Amino acid sequence: MSLTDIAARIRAAEREAGRAPGSVTLIAVSKVQPLGRVEAVLEQGHRVFGENYVQEAAGKWPALRDRFPGVSLHMIGPLQSNKVKSALELFDAIHTLDRMSLATKLARLVAEHGRCPELFVQVNTGEEPQKAGVLPRDADAFIAECRAMGLGLSGLMCIPPEDADPKPHFAVLADMAARNGLAGLSMGMSADFEQAIAAGATHVRVGSAIFGARDYG
Ligand SMILES: *Cc1c(COP(=O)(O)O)cnc(C)c1O
């Protein structure tokens, strides 16, 4: 696979779902990938990237941004409270707002800095104990509390359980977003982004299908 193939599959999935062309944003997930592969995708003109680790992103993106203007960087990994400040300096969007203590800290720092990234609330649709995210039954209240503290929310994000059919998880997330007046839906990865688009995804997070397998060495 390549960037061009994935982009074409996204356009086809939009068409099939009766969605407007370009209504889905492709986040190229570059975590752990060798710099050369990331540069190759930048050279093809792609500008939206996702990273999982603040430290890794801080090590490579400031220099890449100088060379390739217009980059939009999305945080898609768990965000530790002691990394929020660096995250606010680095990222244009955070997809992993998953707990009240993080919301409180974000609200305070956003008020100080005056700049707020796009925020997505991560929902643990599979209710997996090892996975981050607000539980589905707590999501409406969590969204309301974030809004009450002045955080502007863009949407919801989920990572369905690995061995499950993702479709019901995408549907639950889409319902939850609709009833809370949230337009953004960050869902779908290499194996299931077309299904996510059929279910209404606005942001798909695709890594290995663009860059190749990650080598964690
Ligand atoms: C790594 C990661 C992705 C990309 O996964 P692929 O299967 O390589 O497409 C997407 N979303 C999150 C949250 C990730 O951690």
Side-chain angles (χ1 to χ4, degrees):
M1 282 291 146
S2 70
L3 177 70
T4 326
D5 297 326
I6 298 301
R9 284 171 58 187
I10 289 173
R11 296 294 92 89
E14 286 172 342
R15 214 165 31 243
E16 196 144 320
R19 314 250 323 255
S23 54
V24 177
T25 299
L26 170 60
I27 302 172
V29 177
S30 48
K31 64 167 177 233
V32 195
Q33 295 289 354
L35 194 60
R37 290 188 191 168
V38 181
E39 288 169 329
V41 168
L42 280 159
E43 272 154 16
Q44 289 176 76
H46 195 72
R47 289 294 180 268
V48 187
F49 290 82
E51 289 283 345
N52 284 58
Y53 313 101
V54 172
Q55 211 162 331
E56 183 187 348
K60 69 184 179 200
W61 282 102
L64 286 173
R65 276 190 149 133
D66 287 344
R67 291 168 53 205
F68 300 94
V71 164
S72 169
L73 201 56
H74 293 239
M75 174 59 172
I76 63 166
L79 182 53
Q80 293 168 256
S81 294
N82 62 354
K83 300 267 169 69
V84 177
K85 205 159 177 249
S86 325
L88 284 179
E89 284 158 14
L90 265 172
F91 291 102
D92 302 288
I94 294 172
H95 291 240
T96 48
L97 174 50
D98 61 356
R99 59 193 189 279
M100 202 40 70
S101 59
L102 179 56
T104 308
K105 183 140 196 193
L106 269 170
R108 181 166 59 74
L109 289 172
V110 161
E112 273 172 32
H113 289 242
R115 196 185 80 89
C116 189
E118 271 192 83
L119 296 174
F120 292 77
V121 171
Q122 182 175 357
V123 182
N124 186 356
T125 55
E127 308 200 18
E128 296 173 279
Q130 81 284 8
K131 207 166 259 174
V134 179
L135 291 174
R137 62 175 168 277
D138 299 332
D140 292 353
F142 183 84
I143 290 162
E145 284 186 71
C146 288
R147 285 172 162 161
M149 57 177 90
L151 287 174
L153 301 179
S154 295
L156 303 179
M157 176 272 214
C158 77
I159 310 169
E162 206 147 322
D163 301 318
D165 176 5
K167 232 171 130 181
H169 296 271
F170 295 156
V172 161
L173 200 72
D175 278 352
M176 204 177 275
R179 74 169 177 258
N180 283 286
L182 290 167
L185 278 173
S186 167
M187 57 191 197
M189 311 184 7
S190 289
D192 56 18
F193 67 87
E194 283 142 326
Q195 283 172 277
I197 291 169
T202 58
H203 295 70
V204 294
R205 310 177 308 266
V206 181
S208 43
I210 295 173
F211 295 103
R214 285 179 288 277
D215 180 6
Y216 285 94

